[in-house]
Amino acid sequence: METKKTIYQLHEEHKTWLNKLSFYKDELKIMDNRILEVAKKNTSNEVRSLADHFNNLLVIQKEQIDILSHDIKSHELYLEAAALGNPNSIDHEKFSDHKKHRESIAVFEKIFKELREELIDFLSKWM
């Protein structure tokens, strides 16, 4: 059976997810700076290759953040239109749970955590 939620519940989840994504975006900047530090200090082909590898993974994660943020904001616009279209009953109306977004965020966070762990191993070896 499909879960139903109020517009307020969905909106709160959207805000939480967007805040998390903003945090992850900031963390990617820090990771990028650490990779640059290591690449400057170590000129070996192995380090350069690994630094490039991690930079590519960071680019992919940045793109995923942008995609997820866009999807969440689009759903927020849908909810806003529903509220404007029926302002008198919006407090009592239930909407389909945004399971797809929840799953996408969970997958992103899992991949991000794995990337962070791999990067920490790389940095601890070469810093």
Side-chain angles (χ1 to χ4, degrees), residues 33-50:
N33 287 334
R34 295 298 162 263
I35 293 168
L36 285 173
E37 283 179 39
V38 169
K40 285 180 184 177
K41 291 179 184 177
N42 300 285
T43 58
S44 73
N45 288 338
E46 179 185 7
V47 173
R48 295 288 176 164
S49 176
L50 286 169

Side-chain angles (χ1 to χ4, degrees), residues 50-66:
L50 286 169
D52 287 344
H53 167 73
F54 281 110
N55 277 327
N56 290 336
L57 293 176
L58 295 184
V59 167
I60 291 168
Q61 292 307 302
K62 288 175 191 173
E63 289 172 356
Q64 286 304 306
I65 288 171
D66 290 342

Side-chain angles (χ1 to χ4, degrees), residues 19 37 43 57 60 71 75 87 89 92 103 111 122 126:
N19 285 336
E37 283 179 39
T43 58
L57 293 176
I60 291 168
D71 289 349
H75 196 248
S89 67
H92 308 291
E103 290 170 353
I111 292 169
F122 166 73
W126 294 103

Side-chain angles (χ1 to χ4, degrees), residues 48-120:
R48 295 288 176 164
S49 176
L50 286 169
D52 287 344
H53 167 73
F54 281 110
N55 277 327
N56 290 336
L57 293 176
L58 295 184
V59 167
I60 291 168
Q61 292 307 302
K62 288 175 191 173
E63 289 172 356
Q64 286 304 306
I65 288 171
D66 290 342
I67 291 167
L68 290 168
S69 295
H70 178 268
D71 289 349
I72 292 166
K73 289 174 184 176
S74 292
H75 196 248
E76 190 69 16
L77 290 173
Y78 161 76
L79 295 175
E80 183 181 329
L84 292 173
N86 200 357
N88 296 328
S89 67
I90 198 67
D91 291 341
H92 308 291
E93 190 172 344
K94 297 279 187 167
F95 294 86
S96 296
D97 187 19
H98 41 206
K99 184 178 176 184
K100 180 188 105 182
H101 295 112
R102 183 175 291 101
E103 290 170 353
S104 295
I105 293 290
V107 168
F108 171 81
E109 288 181 318
K110 179 182 180 296
I111 292 169
F112 193 92
K113 180 183 175 200
E114 292 168 358
L115 171 60
R116 183 189 304 130
E117 290 170 0
E118 288 177 33
L119 183 59
I120 288 170

Side-chain angles (χ1 to χ4, degrees), residues 15-30:
K15 287 192 328 188
T16 299
W17 293 336
L18 290 171
N19 285 336
K20 282 182 175 187
L21 293 173
S22 177
F23 171 80
Y24 290 130
K25 200 170 200 173
D26 289 342
E27 196 165 348
L28 286 173
K29 291 175 190 171
I30 294 167

